[in-house]
Amino acid sequence: MGVDYYDVLKVERSATEDDLKKAYRRLAMKWHPDKNPNNKIEAEAKFKQISEAYDVLSDPQKRQIYDQDGEEGLKDAPPPPGSTGSQNGFNSRNAEDIFAEFFGSSPFGFGSAGRSMRFSSDGDNMFRNSSGDGSGSVNMAMKKPPPVESKLPCTLEELYSGSTRKMKISRQVLDANGRLVTETEILTIDIKPGWKKGTKITFQDKGNELPNQLPADLVFVIDEKPHATFKRDGNDLIMSHRVTLAEAIGGTTVDLTTLDNRSLSVPVSDIVSPGYELLVSREGMPITKGTTTGRGDLKIRFEVKFPTKLTGEQRAGLKRALGG
């Protein structure tokens, strides 16, 4: 079939006229050469291909021929009256015309004619500016507002094991007729194990659309919810554990449940003094650097609960045991 126009516009073969308009609006805005001054060659090629796909699929007659016989069928079809392009009637100037006709008053601020001065009339280089130097008119490009940031509170369990969040957003978008309408969408966020507070997930162009400017990016910023047992310190986890004086001297075992719901028993054989810290290797948060994975450590900080009073017999027994 040659070029798959449905794939170019990222629509299903059953796409309606409204689906095609939405797809063209989104992709034409994304790949317009004035929006891509640093990637002009690729943008020009993409923009022309997007325009060609929309030109074919939005025309019922062309679409029927394309669906039946593919791109070759279009080449064999007679060109429209007045066409100077290829046999199927699509030439380099059509991208300019489609853009101007679709948007009317151009969202790029070119003026009432809706036509970019980058587009020359000779059709040989549709992306020249009025001076003909092909350098582009960056000053005409639409401005992009600052990103819109929102906090994404996550539990330590989510940041330890990873999780998937579905976020429903509502935003203002311009419909095919240039009117503002409310659109809802579900965004998927894959939270990776080991992500830290402050990690940013960016969804490009998912902010509100307004006339004469590009949509802002939508940014979710990871935030950590407080945990009942653990506190995070970089890649390490810290927990507090209280022991009696007898346990501090005679030894004990710390039983705990890890963030991935494992039962862990940590024997304590050292004499525990106030402020004593026991390091449990590789029981902290996941660490991922490239293809290398590891884990931080778990630090158990002890508090010793001293008795408020002792009997004479208990005092004597302690003195004998401790050699006092």
Side-chain angles (χ1 to χ4, degrees):
M1 180 180 283
V3 179
D4 186 342
Y5 290 142
Y6 292 99
D7 185 60
V8 170
L9 292 181
K10 308 299 181 188
V11 295
E12 300 292 334
R13 298 188 70 84
S14 58
T16 64
E17 181 182 358
D18 193 48
D19 293 334
L20 295 172
K21 286 182 177 180
K22 287 181 179 179
Y24 175 74
R25 168 178 286 277
R26 176 174 55 84
L27 293 171
M29 298 280 275
K30 177 179 180 181
W31 288 105
H32 194 285
D34 278 345
K35 189 188 170 186
N36 297 271
N38 299 322
N39 191 23
K40 186 163 67 79
I41 295 177
E42 182 186 5
E44 289 177 0
K46 290 267 192 184
F47 186 70
K48 290 173 69 175
Q49 190 177 56
I50 290 161
S51 300
E52 181 174 348
Y54 180 71
D55 178 63
V56 170
L57 298 182
S58 63
D59 184 307
Q61 184 177 359
K62 289 181 182 179
R63 183 173 180 177
Q64 183 179 13
I65 295 172
Y66 176 75
D67 287 344
Q68 289 177 352
D69 303 314
E71 193 179 10
E72 292 301 317
L74 289 171
K75 291 179 180 179
D76 294 335
S83 172
T84 59
S86 62
Q87 284 187 313
N88 70 350
F90 194 90
N91 57 61
S92 60
R93 293 192 63 202
N94 287 133
E96 170 195 350
D97 295 337
I98 292 168
F99 189 82
E101 290 169 8
F102 186 93
F103 287 99
S105 177
S106 171
F108 288 86
F110 297 137
S112 59
R115 181 171 298 215
S116 169
M117 292 182 68
R118 295 174 64 92
F119 299 142
S120 73
S121 60
D122 59 13
D124 292 332
N125 182 0
M126 62 177 290
F127 296 109
R128 290 182 186 161
N129 60 15
S130 57
S131 64
D133 60 7
S135 61
S137 46
V138 178
N139 61 316
M140 292 181 179
M142 290 194 297
K143 294 186 186 250
K144 191 179 184 82
V148 178
E149 294 191 355
S150 298
K151 285 186 177 182
L152 182 63
C154 300
T155 65
L156 265 183
E157 285 84 355
E158 289 178 302
L159 298 175
Y160 185 92
S161 300
S163 68
T164 299
R165 287 281 195 92
K166 301 286 186 180
M167 306 295 294
K168 184 177 182 179
I169 64 167
S170 296
R171 63 189 187 115
Q172 295 291 305
V173 299
L174 294 166
D175 67 10
N177 298 314
R179 294 172 300 194
L180 281 173
V181 296
T182 300
E183 179 182 80
T184 59
E185 186 176 353
I186 303 295
L187 302 179
T188 301
I189 301 176
D190 291 321
I191 299 170
K192 306 298 182 186
W195 272 6
K196 297 179 180 178
K197 180 178 180 178
T199 300
K200 294 184 177 182
I201 307 100
T202 300
F203 290 90
Q204 291 188 344
D205 301 334
K206 290 299 183 182
N208 290 328
E209 293 182 4
L210 295 173
N212 302 319
Q213 71 177 34
L214 297 170
D217 293 339
L218 185 58
V219 179
F220 291 95
V221 185
I222 296 293
D223 195 20
E224 290 181 7
K225 292 181 179 180
H227 195 272
T229 303
F230 301 104
K231 182 179 179 181
R232 186 172 186 174
D233 181 20
N235 296 316
D236 296 333
L237 290 173
I238 299 173
M239 66 169 288
S240 296
H241 187 71
R242 201 174 196 191
V243 294
T244 65
L245 180 59
E247 290 172 326
I249 297 173
T252 187
T253 299
V254 179
D255 294 317
L256 58 97
T257 301
T258 63
L259 291 173
D260 56 350
N261 211 32
R262 290 177 292 117
S263 295
L264 186 65
S265 293
V266 182
V268 183
S269 55
D270 294 339
I271 300 295
V272 176
S273 56
Y276 174 79
E277 183 176 281
L278 178 63
L279 187 74
V280 184
S281 180
R282 294 180 58 82
E283 285 294 346
M285 296 297 292
I287 305 171
T288 303
K289 291 184 178 179
T291 58
T292 305
T293 58
R295 290 195 182 277
D297 300 323
L298 169 63
K299 299 175 181 177
I300 305 177
R301 292 177 178 172
F302 288 87
E303 299 176 16
V304 180
K305 181 182 178 181
F306 285 84
T308 55
K309 58 182 180 180
L310 293 173
T311 64
E313 184 179 349
Q314 287 173 326
R315 289 175 183 273
L318 277 174
K319 286 183 178 181
R320 288 194 300 271
L322 299 177

